[in-house]
Amino acid sequence: MAMVSSAKPFYSTTQAPTPIANRLPYPTLSSRTAPRFAHGLSAAAIRASPSARRLRALARPVRASQQQPRRRPEYIPNRIDDPNYVRIFDTTLRDGEQSPGATMTSAEKLVVARQLARLGVDIIEAGFPASSPDDLDAVRSIAIEVGNTPVGEDGHVPVICGLSRCNKKDIDAAWEAVRHARRPRIHTFIATSEIHMQHKLRKTPEQVVAIAREMVAYARSLGCPDVEFSPEDAGRSNREFLYHILEEVIKAGATTLNIPDTVGYTLPYEFGNLIADIKANTPGIENAIISTHCQNDLGLATANTLAGARAGARQLEVTINGIGERAGNASLEEVVMAIKCRGELLDGLYTGINSQHITLTSKMVQEHSGLHVQPHKAIVGANAFAHESGIHQDGMLKYKGTYEIISPDDIGLTRANEFGIVLGKLSGRHAVRSKLVELGYEISDKEFEDFFKRYKEVAEKKKRVTDEDIEALLSDEIFQPKVIWSLSDVQATCGTLGLSTATVKLIGPDGEEKIACSVGTGPVDAAYKAVDQIIQIPTVLREYGMTSVTEGIDAIATTRVVVTGDASNNSKHALTGHSFNRSFSGSGASMDVVVSSVRAYLSALNKMCSFAGAVKASSEVPQSTRVQSRE
């Protein structure tokens, strides 16, 4: 199949530069002289031209908050009625969770999914259901709750998507998980680059096309009206082969064609050309949406994603804070705010994202994934709106637009309480519950009572309980894995006069109390060794970190740990299908650093125990009963 690209190049190095007079946002000569240029137009005529008016508009210091929101088009799987609308496909809960140690509990995933819906994400890729029974259950819960609950003024209900490789077992699991949503989607993929087909799949191009065509058709036959197909490593795939396989899956019923730069290899002009060529040379492409999925190995994920959007992609796959495998993915906040801030240069593109939820969503994902962003991270980093230079401060005091192209309010950075509520030890249940609602958290009455007890303990010791304290306590008390081992008491001694010792009392799954004592190089080491004596699970501590969520000597300490266990905790990798020794993260919060550390360690161990139990239970259930029959 030989086809020649007829698309206009995304970028040309041979294009003649635009004359300086046409590029200036305003004339440099006095309009009173009204000089005439060689092409016969006066300066006044140039200033009145559409291109000059557009450039002058771009030169004005317009902030993103000044733009008027536009209505989200009705969702139709294989088309978008407004050609300027771009769908945002968030894969934080799937690709983002594949980051080492970023494993979230089902409760945490559900909370993040709710927040993604409030943010206005069009599609939530909730997980890889075939990877484990726990992931299938988590995706199913999100499909049932988030996938059927309207949010916002427009009653938006996001599409709930599950990832699968191109095989029936994976597709069955994905469909079982997402079929409960109002708008379910199956996302299936197979590699198409020569290096992947030869060395990983060990299949011929013809075999790959046949598998892709058959599995997309199979997904549609289950009753799923919305099927996304990804040619993995498309950035390094043969163009003609891409056109051919995409044509075949469109015929088989694919509604979205995702073009992944799986290894972050392409440059922006290359990726823009790739999208433009696919749009120009793939038969039937008018019956499907083109999507992008850009990895950040060379730090170009956001730039490549924007280049793809400008070239015709109308779905962009991103993650909160840019988390993901290796160097991560295109960052939702960067992509969305670039479109919102520079929409005129992107041909008027817009999204349905409510950007004022960005800061809260970013913090929530940091808290639950344990992956904190660097201070200089664009949009959501701690220094993104900080101005220390004297020159910058002078400009900011005179006019904020001198150094801020985005207002902090645009991303919800300031969370002012309109009722003036400051939480402390005298605050009652109603005030505390109102604060939780304000922060975007919805918990049951029982969960609130458990949280309120912890809140009162902290409030008795602190004059003021901040939003950050609230979020730390919520994560530690509510969004923890299924409690198998819980902390009853811990006592530690340390210093320069002798060995550090710790005594730990845990409550086991049967309700029995168990006590152990140990010595170590420090109080945390001693406490962890005591925990190991009780639980007796082979564990390796991979990471340990502690931060204070607020300033002051009475701050709550939040600890994060990452542990790995034995081979029984193996999981399937979404892309390779190979088993790997899964790592588990845990977090804990307390005003005592040793207590905080033990809580984090137990959180990770409980995740490990829950996962091992789910795998064992799944292995004891006959395959025929794991996936329910088709509807």
Side-chain angles (χ1 to χ4, degrees):
M1 175 178 178
M3 303 187 74
V4 179
S5 171
S6 60
K8 295 181 179 179
F10 177 73
Y11 174 81
S12 174
T13 57
T14 60
Q15 184 177 357
T18 306
I20 187 70
N22 291 345
R23 285 189 277 121
L24 291 174
Y26 46 81
T28 56
L29 299 177
S30 170
S31 58
R32 288 175 296 179
T33 60
R36 303 194 68 85
F37 298 99
H39 44 62
L41 292 178
S42 66
I46 291 176
R47 291 195 300 272
S49 68
S51 60
R53 287 197 302 270
R54 181 166 176 257
L55 285 169
R56 284 197 298 274
L58 292 174
R60 288 193 292 268
V62 178
R63 288 172 135 195
S65 57
Q66 295 176 268
Q67 299 180 6
Q68 296 299 316
R70 299 169 70 176
R71 184 177 179 82
R72 186 194 311 266
E74 179 185 358
Y75 184 80
I76 302 170
N78 66 335
R79 79 168 195 268
I80 302 174
D81 288 336
D82 187 342
N84 289 337
Y85 185 76
V86 180
R87 289 174 179 167
I88 297 299
F89 177 112
D90 184 276
T91 183
T92 300
L93 297 176
R94 199 278 301 170
D95 198 330
E97 205 213 5
Q98 287 178 201
S99 301
T103 308
M104 299 186 217
T105 66
S106 296
E108 288 171 330
K109 287 184 178 180
L110 187 58
V111 169
V112 172
R114 288 197 198 108
Q115 183 60 26
L116 291 173
R118 294 188 191 98
L119 181 62
V121 165
D122 297 275
I123 303 100
I124 299 174
E125 188 167 54
F128 178 33
S131 66
S132 70
D134 185 63
D135 211 34
L136 191 151
D137 289 340
V139 177
R140 183 194 289 119
S141 297
I142 292 170
I144 292 171
E145 181 169 334
V146 181
N148 289 282
T149 305
V151 293
E153 296 179 358
D154 60 351
H156 170 58
V157 178
V159 174
I160 306 299
C161 176
L163 183 71
S164 71
R165 292 163 296 183
C166 272
N167 66 61
K168 289 186 177 181
K169 180 182 176 183
D170 276 23
I171 292 173
D172 283 338
W175 178 237
E176 166 54 27
V178 303
R179 67 186 180 90
H180 308 278
R182 182 186 300 182
R183 294 170 177 159
R185 177 186 289 192
I186 294 173
H187 178 192
T188 189
F189 70 94
I190 192 169
T192 56
S193 66
E194 183 177 352
I195 189 171
H196 276 241
M197 290 189 289
Q198 179 181 347
H199 297 286
K200 187 181 78 171
L201 299 180
R202 296 180 180 176
K203 296 184 182 298
T204 66
E206 292 76 17
Q207 289 174 316
V208 169
V209 172
I211 292 170
R213 180 173 52 226
E214 180 184 356
M215 290 302 102
V216 168
Y218 178 71
R220 289 299 299 263
S221 74
L222 295 176
C224 185
D226 195 358
V227 176
E228 177 173 334
F229 173 77
S230 289
E232 186 190 357
D233 204 19
R236 295 189 295 177
S237 298
N238 176 273
R239 294 288 176 90
E240 304 299 331
F241 180 61
L242 272 181
Y243 306 152
H244 176 53
I245 194 170
L246 294 176
E247 175 188 5
E248 293 301 310
V249 296
I250 291 172
K251 291 178 182 177
T255 52
T256 298
L257 305 176
N258 180 48
I259 311 302
D261 182 23
T262 304
V263 293
Y265 181 70
T266 61
L267 300 180
Y269 81 92
E270 284 183 294
F271 194 74
N273 275 334
L274 174 61
I275 298 298
D277 288 347
I278 287 172
K279 183 177 180 181
N281 296 304
T282 304
I285 195 67
E286 66 277 3
N287 298 317
I289 303 297
I290 301 176
S291 175
T292 68
H293 182 113
C294 299
Q295 299 290 137
N296 202 40
D297 296 70
L298 293 178
L300 296 171
T302 294
N304 283 341
T305 299
L306 294 173
R310 191 181 178 202
R314 288 299 177 264
Q315 176 180 289
L316 308 178
E317 303 202 358
V318 292
T319 62
I320 301 296
N321 300 333
I323 65 173
E325 284 198 285
R326 303 187 312 279
N329 293 270
S331 165
L332 179 145
E333 58 274 9
E334 293 174 13
V335 170
V336 167
M337 294 311 294
I339 291 175
K340 188 171 184 179
C341 202
R342 305 306 308 276
E344 286 297 322
L345 289 181
L346 293 169
D347 303 320
L349 299 182
Y350 71 102
T351 73
I353 296 295
N354 181 347
S355 64
Q356 292 189 345
H357 284 282
I358 284 178
T359 295
L360 175 58
T361 310
S362 171
K363 289 184 177 181
M364 189 178 288
V365 170
Q366 290 183 65
E367 182 68 32
H368 295 327
S369 70
L371 301 176
H372 297 278
V373 301
Q374 70 269 33
H376 55 279
K377 167 73 170 66
I379 312 298
V380 294
N383 294 346
F385 294 94
H387 304 272
E388 188 169 337
S389 162
I391 295 175
H392 286 215
Q393 291 175 347
D394 178 66
M396 286 294 296
L397 290 171
K398 293 174 179 175
Y399 180 63
K400 292 180 180 179
T402 53
Y403 288 104
E404 282 187 354
I405 59 172
I406 300 169
S407 167
D409 293 339
D410 294 339
I411 61 169
L413 185 57
T414 54
R415 291 185 299 213
N417 189 315
E418 62 178 315
F419 300 107
I421 295 176
V422 177
L423 296 183
K425 67 178 183 179
L426 299 180
S427 299
R429 284 175 170 79
H430 179 69
V432 175
R433 189 120 205 190
S434 298
K435 170 60 71 173
L436 294 181
V437 172
E438 177 190 329
L439 295 178
Y441 292 96
E442 297 176 8
I443 59 178
S444 67
D445 291 340
K446 182 182 182 306
E447 290 173 332
F448 176 75
E449 290 302 320
D450 294 337
F451 165 78
F452 191 70
K453 292 178 183 177
R454 288 287 306 281
Y455 164 79
K456 281 294 188 181
E457 292 174 4
V458 171
E460 287 291 336
K461 301 175 183 178
K462 295 191 67 173
K463 291 182 178 180
R464 178 181 178 185
V465 182
T466 67
D467 292 350
E468 290 78 10
D469 292 331
I470 293 288
E471 291 174 337
L473 291 176
L474 269 175
S475 178
D476 188 51
E477 186 65 38
I478 305 301
F479 306 124
Q480 290 290 346
K482 178 183 178 182
V483 177
I484 299 175
W485 293 94
S486 59
L487 176 63
S488 177
D489 295 297
V490 58
Q491 183 69 39
T493 60
C494 63
T496 60
L497 299 180
L499 291 173
S500 296
T501 63
T503 302
V504 175
K505 181 192 291 185
L506 302 181
I507 301 176
D510 54 0
E512 182 182 357
E513 292 185 350
K514 296 190 176 183
I515 301 176
C517 301
S518 185
V519 297
T521 57
V524 174
D525 180 49
Y528 280 15
K529 287 178 178 176
V531 171
D532 290 340
Q533 288 180 25
I534 297 174
I535 298 181
Q536 296 183 348
I537 295 177
T539 305
V540 178
L541 180 64
R542 299 293 183 186
E543 294 181 29
Y544 174 93
M546 179 178 291
T547 57
S548 108
V549 297
T550 57
E551 59 186 20
I553 195 89
D554 59 352
I556 290 180
T558 295
T559 306
R560 176 182 181 265
V561 300
V562 176
V563 302
T564 55
D566 56 24
S568 64
N569 290 323
N570 281 353
S571 183
K572 291 180 182 176
H573 192 281
L575 298 181
T576 65
H578 296 310
S579 295
F580 63 95
N581 194 357
R582 191 162 188 168
S583 57
F584 300 87
S585 65
S587 62
S590 175
M591 295 178 72
D592 185 300
V593 295
V594 178
V595 175
S596 172
S597 299
V598 174
R599 287 183 181 276
Y601 194 48
L602 283 176
S603 172
L605 292 178
N606 280 332
K607 282 186 182 181
M608 183 185 294
C609 293
S610 297
F611 183 81
V615 171
K616 181 179 179 181
S618 175
S619 65
E620 295 173 352
V621 177
Q623 176 65 29
S624 59
T625 62
R626 290 187 201 173
V627 180
Q628 297 182 14
S629 59
R630 307 177 199 170
E631 289 188 329

